[in-house]
Amino acid sequence: MSPADVVPRAGIAERLSRMIQLPTVSAERAERGQGPFDAFADVLVELYPLVHEHLERERIGELGILYRWRGRAEEQPTVLMAHFDVVPVDESNAWTHPPFEGRIDRGWVYGRGALDDKGPLVVVMDAVENLLASGFTPARDVYLSFGGDEETFGGAARIIAETLRERGIEPWLVLDEGGAVVDAPLPFVRGTAAMVGVGEKGVLTLRLSARGEGGHASAPPARTAVRRIARAVERLSPQTFPARTPAAVTRMLELFATRTGGIPHALYRLLSRAPWLTARAFTAMGGEPAALVRTTVAATMQSGGTAANVLPSQATATLNLRIALGESVASTVKRVRKRIADRHVKVEMLEGDGPSPESSTENAQFALITDAVKVSHPGAATVPYVMMAATDSRHFHRFSPAVYRFAPLEMSKAQRASIHGVDERVEIAALERGELFHRTLLQRLE
């Protein structure tokens, strides 16, 4: 059976719209309650009757949903992942359409979660439903792992991963959200590229705290609690961590060299052959290129003080760090303490996950992803890279050798900016191609 033998059912935009209308905002779960999350699980039953007739479904904790599609073999199953929670909406921002209306307008679906991550979830579910309608059985077991607290670094996916591991299940392939199909991914690079995350940076949250003399602000001491924290944050410059080029970035540059000509071709080819030079060049560029090759640190919250004319007796700052591949949580905390160099500043770890190892691009799993891209997005090169954000798939790489991060949807620069921002939206045609990607991948499992 080929992908052309399966006729997708109409209405993928309407199904995504229904999902968007449920405000599954994990950061606001305390205020909104469990209702939207349970309603999401219920709406899946309504929208995908064949899935719920033929697949086994488990609720893992309050926010995890796990499906098992029995294939012709149980060993080395495939795990397709997505999350159904979304980030909050800033009510002061003006959206073209209300963020939880799920408006379908001139070929697009608008709303919070359209891209992150209900759009990628709907194309997985549609692909399975369509294959079931054609009487298809996969070559090996397929698990669908959906979590409801990814945006708050919650534990739904971790519990699902632990459940599978306790059952002795070692996935052959894990595929989660991540890169997308993008146009002109780097300067001078022609055409489109399906950016597949073969590894992801770790995430670490630290709190810096200091105490000082309180009192009236009219006679401040030389070193207040606020000044200690400010000095500590200032010492954590972008140069705090060394730059190293991951293998995935080198391979990315090799592939991009084939899609350029003239001087850009020579430049990308040179960078692909000199990782040390890539690290220096990307560091000099700053922004996303620099983040690809080193650990980043950003102060995201500060607090201290109760009044404008009162010296606070304590002050804090919260740091968000994204740990580069090849480093660890422990080594990162150690370097932060060393760079701050102030025994009066306490460094406390609030949460942390180390970076993942890099999955291979020279195996059958990556080849399968590449083949599916050729069907769903002809002309797009399948290119490895390193994810700078954390995904739920980080809970699987400890016991699965092949973990990849790719949402098979076209995303323009403006669309990518709308993720966690304003006017998040996805083109209906992109959803249809995303469904074709997953349908092809499932059909070509061996």
Side-chain angles (χ1 to χ4, degrees):
M1 179 186 297
S2 70
D5 296 326
V6 178
V7 179
R9 59 184 182 141
I12 192 170
E14 287 74 16
R15 287 186 285 280
L16 176 57
S17 174
R18 288 284 303 281
M19 296 180 188
I20 290 172
Q21 291 168 29
L22 297 170
T24 51
V25 184
S26 51
E28 298 173 352
R29 187 167 165 237
E31 298 88 343
R32 295 179 182 269
Q34 179 67 18
F37 299 88
D38 290 340
F40 188 89
D42 292 340
V43 83
L44 292 181
V45 178
E46 176 190 341
L47 298 178
Y48 299 99
L50 294 180
V51 168
H52 291 86
E53 178 183 344
H54 295 279
L55 274 62
E56 302 163 19
R57 185 178 85 152
E58 293 182 75
R59 293 294 298 271
I60 308 292
E62 290 185 324
L63 296 174
I65 306 173
L66 179 66
Y67 293 91
R68 181 186 182 183
W69 189 6
R70 291 184 180 270
R72 295 191 296 274
E74 294 184 6
E75 296 78 14
Q76 295 187 309
T78 289
V79 178
L80 302 179
M81 301 182 67
H83 65 87
F84 57 91
D85 64 317
V86 298
V87 297
V89 172
D90 185 341
E91 298 295 340
S92 67
N93 291 330
W95 285 60
T96 301
H97 303 294
F100 293 109
E101 182 181 304
R103 176 77 66 86
I104 300 171
D105 184 13
R106 288 175 289 185
W108 294 77
V109 183
Y110 286 77
R112 176 63 81 224
L115 294 172
D116 184 18
D117 189 38
K118 292 177 178 178
L121 187 150
V122 78
V123 299
V124 170
M125 290 294 283
D126 262 54
V128 174
E129 185 81 3
N130 292 329
L131 287 171
L132 287 167
S134 71
F136 176 79
T137 300
R140 63 182 75 200
D141 280 6
V142 174
Y143 288 87
L144 311 180
S145 172
F146 302 145
D149 56 5
E150 190 271 350
E151 297 291 3
T152 52
F153 301 104
R158 175 181 53 79
I159 297 171
I160 291 173
E162 290 174 351
T163 298
L164 293 180
R165 190 173 191 179
E166 290 168 359
R167 295 173 183 174
I169 298 168
E170 182 177 310
W172 179 77
L173 167 65
V174 176
L175 184 60
D176 195 6
E177 65 169 333
V181 180
V182 301
D183 186 43
L186 283 180
F188 310 110
V189 176
R190 298 186 295 266
T192 56
M195 305 299 296
V196 179
V198 298
E200 68 179 56
K201 299 179 75 173
V203 60
L204 174 64
T205 303
L206 298 178
R207 180 164 58 207
L208 310 182
S209 58
R211 301 193 66 85
E213 297 179 22
H216 201 281
S218 61
R223 190 74 66 200
T224 64
V226 169
R227 287 194 65 190
R228 281 196 182 279
I229 292 298
R231 184 178 68 169
V233 171
E234 183 64 22
R235 285 176 174 174
L236 298 172
S237 69
Q239 289 73 40
T240 296
F241 295 92
R244 303 185 186 91
T245 303
V249 173
T250 296
R251 179 60 178 150
M252 177 184 74
L253 295 170
E254 288 175 354
L255 292 171
F256 285 155
T258 66
R259 293 202 157 206
T260 56
I263 294 176
H265 170 78
L267 175 60
Y268 283 124
R269 191 175 181 185
L270 172 63
L271 291 175
S272 70
R273 295 181 175 183
W276 64 270
L277 181 60
T278 300
R280 295 185 65 177
F282 278 32
T283 297
M285 292 169 66
E288 287 191 1
L292 283 172
V293 297
R294 71 181 178 199
T295 296
T296 59
V297 54
T300 54
M301 294 189 292
Q302 294 180 325
S303 66
T306 56
N309 62 344
V310 177
L311 293 174
S313 58
Q314 62 178 352
T316 67
T318 301
L319 307 179
N320 183 269
L321 297 96
R322 300 303 168 112
I323 306 172
L325 275 64
E327 299 181 18
S328 67
V329 170
S331 67
T332 302
V333 174
K334 182 178 180 180
R335 183 173 285 270
V336 166
R337 288 196 173 110
K338 183 177 181 180
R339 180 58 71 101
I340 290 174
D342 186 344
R343 60 187 178 86
H344 296 291
V345 175
K346 180 181 178 182
V347 179
E348 179 185 4
M349 186 179 81
L350 301 184
E351 59 185 355
D353 274 305
S356 76
E358 291 184 63
S359 295
S360 174
T361 60
E362 304 295 330
N363 56 13
Q365 293 93 327
F366 194 82
L368 175 63
I369 294 171
T370 301
D371 288 345
V373 167
K374 289 178 181 177
V375 174
S376 61
H377 299 84
T382 302
V383 180
Y385 84 116
V386 175
M387 279 278 297
M388 288 177 282
T391 70
D392 275 342
S393 69
R394 71 188 186 277
H395 301 297
F396 281 84
H397 71 71
R398 295 176 180 87
F399 66 103
S400 179
V403 180
Y404 300 93
R405 303 147 188 90
F406 173 60
L409 303 175
E410 293 97 334
M411 297 187 195
S412 66
K413 185 176 181 179
Q415 283 177 280
R416 298 196 297 275
S418 75
I419 296 174
H420 292 201
V422 178
D423 273 354
E424 188 176 348
R425 62 202 180 278
V426 64
E427 194 172 16
I428 297 173
L431 294 172
E432 293 168 347
R433 286 187 285 271
E435 183 275 338
L436 177 58
F437 168 86
H438 280 294
R439 181 158 33 99
T440 304
L441 183 141
L442 290 168
Q443 286 177 300
R444 296 189 178 185
L445 283 173
E446 297 179 355

